């Protein structure tokens, strides 16, 4: 069963890179294409920072923090391998971290494309979704475990 999460992680990493490639090759930088009017659009944004371009241009910082994060995440994955819900959360977080790290190494920026149109929210990508869902899964697992122990 553990291998299924690894396969899903690899498939999501591939999806992230394919979507980034397609957006980069089909949509000009800064161009916006409505998908669901007033809800979500596709764009091609080159982000060399974090959300909302925070810390823009600090690639060395992002390289270092990503390597440290991956080491910690892989260590946690190894130590929590018997707990499937933790494993799923960690695999998703590793997938998202690797997806954006590949961009930073290869392109020196991260390709973002999903734009929420009805409120101010950072433009994001598949890797960001994996990271966010992974954090939520871990949060639920921790809360669940505290209830069982408490």
């Amino acid at each position: 069963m553990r291998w299924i999460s690894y396969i899903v992680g690899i498939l999501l990493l591939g999806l992230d890179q394919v979507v980034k490639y397609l957006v980069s090759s089909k949509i000009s930088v800064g161009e916006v294409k409505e998908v669901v009017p007033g809800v979500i659009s596709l764009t091609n944004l080159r982000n060399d920072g974090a959300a909302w371009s925070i810390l823009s241009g600090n690639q060395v910082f992002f390289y270092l923090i990503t390597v440290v994060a991956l080491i910690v995440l892989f260590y946690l994955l190894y130590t929590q391998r018997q707990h499937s819900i933790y494993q799923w959360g960690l695999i998703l977080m590793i997938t998202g971290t690797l997806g954006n790290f590949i961009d930073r190494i290869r392109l020196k920026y991260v390709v973002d494309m999903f734009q929420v149109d009805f409120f101010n929210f950072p433009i994001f990508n598949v890797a960001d979704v994996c990271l966010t869902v992974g954090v939520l899964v871990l949060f639920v697992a921790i809360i669940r475990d505290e209830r069982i122990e408490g």
Side-chain angles (χ1 to χ4, degrees):
M1 186 68 159
R2 171 180 35 201
W3 294 105
I4 292 173
S5 63
Y6 295 152
I7 291 168
V8 169
I10 291 167
L11 291 173
L12 286 171
L13 182 59
L15 176 66
D16 174 67
Q17 294 300 300
V18 167
V19 169
K20 288 174 178 175
Y21 170 77
L22 290 172
V23 165
S24 295
S25 63
K26 303 289 183 191
I27 300 174
S28 301
V29 175
E31 182 182 359
V32 177
K33 295 187 179 254
E34 283 188 325
V35 176
V36 179
V39 179
I40 194 159
S41 298
L42 283 177
T43 188
N44 181 356
L45 177 71
R46 295 178 176 178
N47 186 357
D48 66 351
W52 286 293
S53 296
I54 296 169
L55 299 172
S56 182
N58 289 300
Q59 290 306 308
V60 172
F61 170 75
F62 287 112
Y63 296 149
L64 292 173
I65 201 76
T66 302
V67 169
V68 170
L70 286 170
I71 290 168
V72 169
L73 289 168
F74 277 111
Y75 172 77
L76 290 171
L77 181 63
Y78 175 76
T79 61
Q80 298 299 316
R81 64 187 179 277
Q82 68 278 11
H83 303 289
S84 69
I85 192 163
Y86 285 98
Q87 181 179 338
W88 278 100
L90 291 165
I91 289 288
L92 288 170
M93 291 176 68
I94 290 167
T95 298
T97 303
L98 283 173
N100 286 336
F101 194 45
I102 289 168
D103 283 13
R104 288 189 193 284
I105 290 171
R106 192 170 63 85
L107 304 169
K108 307 297 184 238
Y109 57 84
V110 173
V111 177
D112 289 328
M113 74 282 305
F114 300 112
Q115 178 175 313
V116 177
D117 295 332
F118 55 92
F119 67 93
N120 185 18
F121 192 77
I123 298 171
F124 59 96
N125 58 41
V126 174
D128 297 333
V129 173
C130 290
L131 274 166
T132 302
V133 172
V135 168
L136 290 172
V137 168
L138 283 179
F139 182 73
V140 168
I142 291 166
I143 296 297
R144 186 196 70 168
D145 284 353
E146 285 180 1
R147 281 195 202 146
I148 291 170
E149 291 175 7

